[in-house]
Amino acid sequence: MTKNVFSRVDLSSFVTGSTEHTWQPTMSAETNIPSYWLNWRFFLCAIFVLTSLFLSSFLIWKYEGPGKRRKRGGGHDHDQREGTGVVYDDETWNTCVRRIHPNWLLGFRVFGFVTLLGLISGNAIADGAGIFIFYTQWTFTLVTIYFGVAALVSINKFRSGDNCHNGVSSRVDEEQGSYRPPIHNENSNVFKASNGHERHNRSTRQVASTLGYIHQILFQTCAGAVLLTDGVFWFIIYPFLTSKDFNLDFFIVIMHSVNAVFLLGETFLNSLRFPLFRISYFVVWTGVFVIFQWIVHACVSFWWPYPFLDLSSSYAPLWYATQTHRPYAAVGLMHVPCFGVFALIVKLKYMWLSKCFSEEP
């Protein structure tokens, strides 16, 4: 059984053998022997993970992309609505407020990429490559990649010179004033169109490139993953670890805070939508992390980065650690509220902007 004990060890001990800076849980059993894997616990966990990946892949196949259209009713081909998975080019580089020029968003993205890259590189140099055994560093790296892709999208638009009007249509901008709400699909899972220009703009807006779709997908994957890592750490893990067993240091605080700050700043500036079906990518991201952990631990026996991943307990299929008093229960189920909270943040942003600018004289 896994003990609820944490010892002071360097994160880089996984690579260098040092034992000075942070913590690791006590090992419960050898993980690189057949008996650890050839049992009912692992097979139930594998069924759960693979089923989640299959359902996520199905949702992606069904909704992702501009070609997924739905008929209104009556079966007429000319009367169709865009699918929820369409991403328009201007959504990837434009701001949600006309008064804020897209170049400010460009600058923020470049600054975010440089800062996050410097922090994750510094963390790797200080503590060794072993940090990448943790989901936290995976997520921080993913957010860094997102800001790099976002900066590239904005730079490409800046170089093309097409963003000088800060909008799709200057006539529509004049009619709507300073706030330019995103044009959403009428059948969107999150938003309804808030103006009368939807049909006009749908026929004139350019669908995003492959890079634009990658940008949108990364944004929504990062949103759920950041809330999961930072929320679980600050509200579950850290409160239940005593100062004797666990001390905060610079990189631990940074890895569980700065990513959220930059992502929220990006969210309040950009004009990206947040269709709910893209929770599938968040689930796939976590599923890949779990499978990676299984493969590594099947090859090398060492401690699990998170106790709820340990497969030695009969409670393993429920995704929490062996003792019922542990504060890690139902971490897998937290994907839904974490993604939903960020979707709510995006929706509240547009509602607030719409209300503020609609009240302007």
Side-chain angles (χ1 to χ4, degrees), residues 169-204:
S169 168
S170 59
R171 181 178 67 84
V172 172
D173 285 341
E174 291 171 0
E175 293 174 358
Q176 294 180 353
S178 298
Y179 168 55
R180 185 182 50 262
I183 310 301
H184 301 295
N185 170 29
E186 296 170 2
N187 199 33
S188 171
N189 292 328
V190 183
F191 301 111
K192 297 291 183 180
S194 57
N195 61 79
H197 305 287
E198 178 180 6
R199 190 176 300 277
H200 167 75
N201 281 330
R202 181 184 299 169
S203 62
T204 59

Side-chain angles (χ1 to χ4, degrees), residues 74-96:
H76 299 295
D77 292 337
H78 65 277
D79 191 19
Q80 294 181 329
R81 292 180 286 187
E82 291 285 357
T84 58
V86 65
V87 178
Y88 291 106
D89 179 70
D90 59 278
E91 293 174 335
T92 63
W93 56 264
N94 215 346
T95 58
C96 58

